[in-house]
Amino acid sequence: MVRVTKPWRVTRLRGDGSTRVRADILAGEEPLEVRLGGRPFNVTMRTPGHDFELVAGFLVSEGVVVDREQIRSMDYRAGIAAGGERDYNVVDVRLAEDVPLPDTYIERHVYTSSSCGVCGTASIETVRKTSQYAVSQDPLTVPLGVLLGLPDALRAEQSVFERTGGVHAAGLFVDGELVCLREDVGRHNAVDKVVGWALLEGRVPLTGTVLQVSGRASFELVQKAAMAGIPVLSAVSAPSALAVELGEELGLTVIGFNRGEMLNVYTRHDRVSGAGEERETGA
């Protein structure tokens, strides 16, 4: 049985030597195998829940699909678990007949940890994906005050984090309003769940949107945003150098250290309105 959370008894130790046994709630983490036409494609460690969105978003990130009509069906594998019940850790995807299988379909390693969204790729060349959407052309501008309010808006809706303190979150915002939030032990999974929701809702490409994430901005998250047509990625922590370089190349706005009072804009500063005149300071 898969669970979003799991209760566990823990022993709490204090510096004064006192102990206390209490109940704790842990974030669920289980493997999810993705199959294309019945054949293994990828295994990722994830927090159960919104699995079809996770799979759909992953397929967008991999460049396999760009439209919901390209996914003919998704379902959990049947008849494998005890008693012939569905196996909720295996999702089988049937693509439309005109959708080619990815080039790395045979070669792809089939394990991705919850901390890495590109670890399962078979070669360096397959890490980099090409988006069909020119995010550099997106005319979106976002007031500084709106951007600064996104972390608090995200945190207020993180129900699984509130119970466990152990998951990442990704939220999609339109005109400062949260339209979708997903949580997962893997930050890349949280983003894939948001993108998958958008694909299944027929909202991709996600022009005019901001993706706010609870952790750092990595190369993979910038790439996932670009693959979905998201022009602005904002993170509460630091971006990596490669993430910033990719954002610069693609014309995607990368924001880091957004913690409600100030933020750093690393690329495409023109998308942030309401800021004062730039002043050069020391490194």
Side-chain angles (χ1 to χ4, degrees):
M1 180 179 179
V2 295
R3 296 179 178 177
V4 176
T5 61
K6 185 176 182 178
W8 201 265
R9 293 184 68 82
V10 301
T11 302
R12 175 169 291 180
L13 309 179
R14 297 185 179 275
D16 60 6
S18 62
T19 64
R20 179 187 176 191
V21 178
R22 63 184 296 273
D24 197 9
I25 302 295
L26 307 179
E29 182 178 24
E30 298 196 23
L32 180 69
E33 179 180 337
V34 181
R35 296 190 168 202
L36 296 182
R39 300 175 64 182
F41 178 55
N42 187 62
V43 175
T44 186
M45 299 301 296
R46 99 298 189 190
T47 297
H50 304 289
D51 289 335
F52 292 170
E53 293 177 354
L54 171 59
V55 172
F58 176 73
L59 294 178
V60 172
S61 297
E62 288 295 301
V64 178
V65 302
V66 295
D67 186 272
R68 62 181 175 181
E69 301 302 323
Q70 293 179 308
I71 299 176
R72 191 170 66 185
S73 66
M74 281 190 290
D75 204 353
Y76 293 105
R77 182 171 58 169
I80 303 298
E85 298 178 357
R86 292 188 181 277
D87 187 343
Y88 291 102
N89 282 329
V90 180
V91 172
D92 193 18
V93 182
R94 301 286 171 172
L95 300 175
E97 293 182 0
D98 61 341
V99 179
L101 293 175
D103 293 337
T104 56
Y105 182 54
I106 303 300
E107 301 175 0
R108 185 179 178 90
H109 300 169
V110 292
Y111 176 73
T112 303
S113 74
S114 58
S115 62
C116 178
V118 296
C119 300
T121 49
S123 67
I124 292 175
E125 289 75 15
T126 57
V127 169
R128 180 68 185 270
K129 310 297 180 184
T130 301
S131 176
Q132 294 196 21
Y133 311 118
V135 292
S136 63
Q137 304 299 317
D138 196 311
L140 175 69
T141 58
V142 187
L144 174 60
V146 169
L147 287 170
L148 291 172
L150 299 187
D152 285 345
L154 187 74
R155 179 67 182 84
E157 299 299 325
Q158 291 180 239
S159 60
V160 180
F161 181 86
E162 184 67 29
R163 285 179 285 163
T164 68
V167 292
H168 293 277
L172 189 70
F173 290 82
V174 178
D175 296 328
E177 297 296 324
L178 180 65
V179 296
C180 180
L181 180 143
R182 296 292 182 261
E183 295 177 278
D184 199 279
V185 290
R187 61 180 182 276
H188 56 92
N189 287 340
V191 171
D192 278 342
K193 287 178 178 181
V194 168
V195 172
W197 168 85
L199 182 82
L200 298 177
E201 291 290 319
R203 300 179 70 147
V204 173
L206 288 165
T207 55
T209 62
V210 179
L211 180 65
Q212 176 69 47
V213 296
S214 61
R216 62 186 179 89
S218 62
F219 167 88
E220 59 184 326
L221 296 195
V222 172
Q223 179 162 266
K224 287 177 183 293
M227 294 296 288
I230 299 171
V232 178
L233 171 65
S234 173
V236 300
S237 192
S240 70
L242 195 57
V244 171
E245 290 168 0
L246 181 61
E248 181 74 17
E249 177 186 336
L250 298 177
L252 187 148
T253 301
V254 177
I255 295 170
F257 295 105
N258 184 357
R259 298 173 181 175
E261 296 181 355
M262 64 180 66
L263 53 80
N264 292 346
V265 185
Y266 293 86
T267 60
R268 286 297 302 268
H269 310 73
D270 57 294
R271 285 205 176 100
V272 181
S273 63
E277 183 179 348
E278 292 187 14
R279 292 184 297 129
E280 193 72 26
T281 62

